[in-house]
Amino acid sequence: QVQLAESGGGLVQAGGSLRLSCTPSLRTPSSYTFGWFRQAPGKEREFLASISGSRATRYADSVKGRFTISRVNAKTPVNLQMNSLTAEDTAVYFCAAKPSGSDVFRYWGQGTQVTVSS
């Protein structure tokens, strides 16, 4: 069973930075793709970025150039570095994982709140 634990959320001022981490359970296959999503109040969940087992990355246009997803190796957390934050980035941020080749993210963390004050 794959379990994901997010950390690093909190309160930050507009223009500031924050780094989120997603720690998968030990038996998570190294080939899995990990993604970050967010959901603001009253809005649908939004894809932000993903990183595959081969470290290939994808980004939503809304965060390209401001957010960076990374992972050193299969034994380290999946990080999301967020820069130049605005109030519109306020949301609950979720980490997710899916098997290589799957279209659907099957495993989800509990989420971590990010609040950007203007």
Side-chain angles (χ1 to χ4, degrees):
Q1 179 71 11
V2 175
Q3 295 181 322
L4 306 171
E6 302 101 335
S7 61
L11 176 64
V12 63
Q13 290 187 335
S17 299
L18 210 57
R19 188 177 77 166
L20 306 182
S21 292
C22 172
T23 302
S25 49
L26 291 177
R27 294 187 176 185
T28 303
S30 61
S31 60
Y32 272 33
T33 292
F34 292 85
W36 281 99
F37 295 75
R38 69 184 178 190
Q39 188 166 21
K43 294 186 177 181
E44 294 186 352
R45 188 164 55 195
E46 174 188 14
F47 167 81
L48 301 175
S50 66
I51 185 167
S52 71
S54 61
R55 308 289 184 272
T57 58
R58 289 180 57 230
Y59 293 92
D61 289 341
S62 59
V63 303
K64 198 173 294 183
R66 294 193 303 128
F67 290 9
T68 303
I69 190 170
S70 65
R71 192 181 194 193
V72 175
N73 58 54
K75 297 182 179 180
T76 60
V78 179
N79 296 318
L80 184 69
Q81 177 67 38
M82 306 185 295
N83 300 327
S84 303
L85 290 166
T86 71
E88 287 67 40
D89 294 313
T90 295
V92 178
Y93 285 68
F94 297 90
C95 176
K98 63 178 181 175
S100 176
S102 173
D103 292 331
V104 179
F105 282 90
R106 299 181 185 177
Y107 306 100
W108 293 83
Q110 294 294 316
T112 185
Q113 176 71 46
V114 171
T115 302
V116 184
S117 63
S118 55

